[in-house]
Amino acid sequence: MERPLTRGFRGFQLQFATNPLASPGGTVEKTDAAPEDTLHREAAEEAQLALTDPVRLGWVLDEAGEVYSGVGPNARLRLAARVTAVGPAAVDPATGHPFARLLASPAQAAALLGWGPPGARQALLAAETARERWGLPAARPAAIEEIPAEGMRLS
């Protein structure tokens, strides 16, 4: 199935194993000069996405630090970027598992990921950024779709 991503901004790529849902992300490694480098690396490793023009959207406070093995209170940076290529599915090197990859609107992604009101605001900002910066139209309400294992061609 071929479906251009430019028909509407559906820029949050979600992945899941059995549960829970997650978006590509991780911690900054020594080889990453900036959080944007982490975004590029993690998106390629976890979701086989090539990205361009990352934009910082804001921070999410994690008071418990449970996401990263109980590291304690921390803030996680949220970024958006334009997807330039979606490669074939692969095994995530960090987990050893392949992930199903889903296309969802920013609002759908924020709701599915349980990001609450801050996430909903960041999803709205991501959609506005896509419209203003990249000229992409807003996503119309649609069913969430799985990206085919072989990847997708972008137009």
Side-chain angles (χ1 to χ4, degrees):
M1 175 172 104
E2 186 176 306
R3 182 173 183 271
L5 295 180
T6 54
R7 289 190 0 206
F9 178 63
R10 294 166 64 82
F12 280 82
Q13 180 273 345
L14 304 178
Q15 62 184 34
F16 64 90
T18 52
N19 205 11
L21 290 167
S23 59
T27 57
V28 177
E29 294 183 1
K30 291 179 183 179
T31 57
D32 300 330
E36 289 79 5
D37 297 324
T38 304
L39 173 67
H40 285 284
R41 180 180 49 75
E42 292 286 354
E45 287 176 1
E46 296 179 6
Q48 299 72 54
L49 299 177
L51 307 174
T52 189
D53 198 17
V55 178
R56 293 181 183 201
L57 299 176
W59 299 85
V60 174
L61 176 62
D62 178 0
E63 294 182 19
E66 293 175 5
V67 171
Y68 297 111
S69 304
V71 297
N74 66 86
R76 294 191 304 274
L77 178 63
R78 297 279 190 235
L79 299 107
R82 185 166 180 157
V83 176
T84 58
V86 181
V91 171
D92 174 25
T95 65
H97 300 286
F99 292 103
R101 301 171 301 165
L102 306 174
L103 287 175
S105 71
Q108 288 170 317
L112 286 169
L113 293 166
W115 286 352
R121 287 189 297 274
Q122 290 174 4
L124 180 60
L125 179 58
E128 289 172 2
T129 298
R131 182 177 38 80
E132 293 171 6
R133 190 172 193 140
W134 304 312
L136 298 176
R140 294 184 193 157
I144 295 171
E145 299 176 39
E146 187 169 347
I147 297 172
E150 63 274 9
M152 292 179 71
R153 197 175 101 196
L154 304 178
S155 57

